[in-house]
Amino acid sequence: MNKYGAEALGTFWLVLGGCGSAVLAAAFPGVGIGLLGVSLAFGLTVLTMAFAIGHISGCHLNPAVSIGLWAGGRFPATQLLPYIVAQTLGAVAAGGVLYLIASGKAGFELSSGFASNGFGAHSPGGYSMLAALVCEVVMTAMFLVIILGATDARAPKGFAPIAIGLGLTLIHLISIPVTNTSVNPARSTGVALFVGGWAVEQLWAFWVAPIAGALLGAMAYRVVAGRDD
């Protein structure tokens, strides 16, 4: 249960820190942090939680990561469902806290997106569904390669959180214009449930594509890296 609690808490922080920066700080008049700041915020949530709870649960914070680690031979199948449930509950709790904060400002509207992921008319840059799916698959696959490589027994010790956090930052720098960057089904669910409508209708894409990408990334790493001693 400690592991599941840690995953819920860590995913709560990821969604609150990452989506919170997008909703509250990205366009703040005069000092808005913009795309670069939001990208860094997501990376920092993973980096800080990796040091805080990595020794408890492994700090997955992401159903796609848990599935990818299982496919990579690093995680038992028996713990997949509890991890995914814990991550999703933590993300939804963070969405609720963020909604309470954001709605305290006059003029707040969920219709502005609430950091939800989308494609077509709901893509920040107007990208198609196909473009969004390809982007999410490839970005998640590379994220798994980074995670598996940084945590390989042959890799330098103690640097994995930095590599993974910076990797997630880079992924956001690339893909925020396309989908608002998911690579994490729990993160997408945590805010989409509050927006409803189109965000929930398009949510399937941000479960299917990241999971497919995680499986591809795990397989690619196993081919490239061989056996992890």
Side-chain angles (χ1 to χ4, degrees):
M1 292 304 296
N2 288 354
K3 292 181 179 181
Y4 308 143
E7 283 297 303
L9 180 62
T11 313
F12 174 91
W13 181 234
L14 182 146
V15 174
L16 185 62
C19 295
S21 70
V23 172
L24 304 175
F28 192 78
V31 292
I33 61 175
L35 184 152
L36 177 60
V38 173
S39 300
L40 186 59
F42 272 100
L44 288 173
T45 62
V46 171
L47 190 153
T48 52
M49 276 295 120
F51 283 114
I53 66 168
H55 54 287
I56 302 171
S57 69
C59 191
H60 299 183
L61 317 185
N62 182 337
V65 168
S66 295
I67 291 170
L69 290 174
W70 162 76
R74 305 276 189 88
F75 190 67
T78 54
Q79 293 185 29
L80 268 180
L81 183 59
Y83 261 56
I84 292 170
V85 170
Q87 292 156 357
T88 304
L89 290 176
V92 173
V97 170
L98 180 57
Y99 175 76
L100 288 175
I101 296 171
S103 61
K105 179 181 178 180
F108 168 75
E109 294 181 359
L110 283 172
S111 59
S112 62
F114 199 51
S116 292
N117 303 113
F119 53 80
H122 304 291
S123 158
Y127 288 83
S128 68
M129 181 179 70
L130 179 59
L133 291 172
V134 170
C135 183
E136 288 290 326
V137 168
V138 173
M139 294 300 155
T140 313
M142 294 309 302
F143 193 35
L144 261 293
V145 170
I146 294 167
I147 292 169
L148 289 167
T151 57
D152 194 303
R154 297 162 289 184
K157 306 301 179 187
F159 293 99
I162 298 172
I164 295 167
L166 290 176
L168 188 61
T169 298
L170 177 58
I171 286 167
H172 278 78
L173 287 171
I174 298 168
S175 59
I176 282 178
V178 183
T179 62
N180 230 7
T181 309
S182 171
V183 302
N184 185 338
R187 168 261 187 269
S188 298
T189 303
V191 290
L193 293 182
F194 290 88
V195 176
W198 68 265
V200 172
E201 291 170 5
Q202 295 190 356
L203 184 58
W204 65 269
F206 303 103
W207 277 84
V208 172
I211 290 173
L215 293 172
L216 288 173
M219 289 187 288
Y221 185 78
R222 295 187 78 164
V223 169
V224 170
R227 187 169 67 92
D228 180 348
D229 294 329

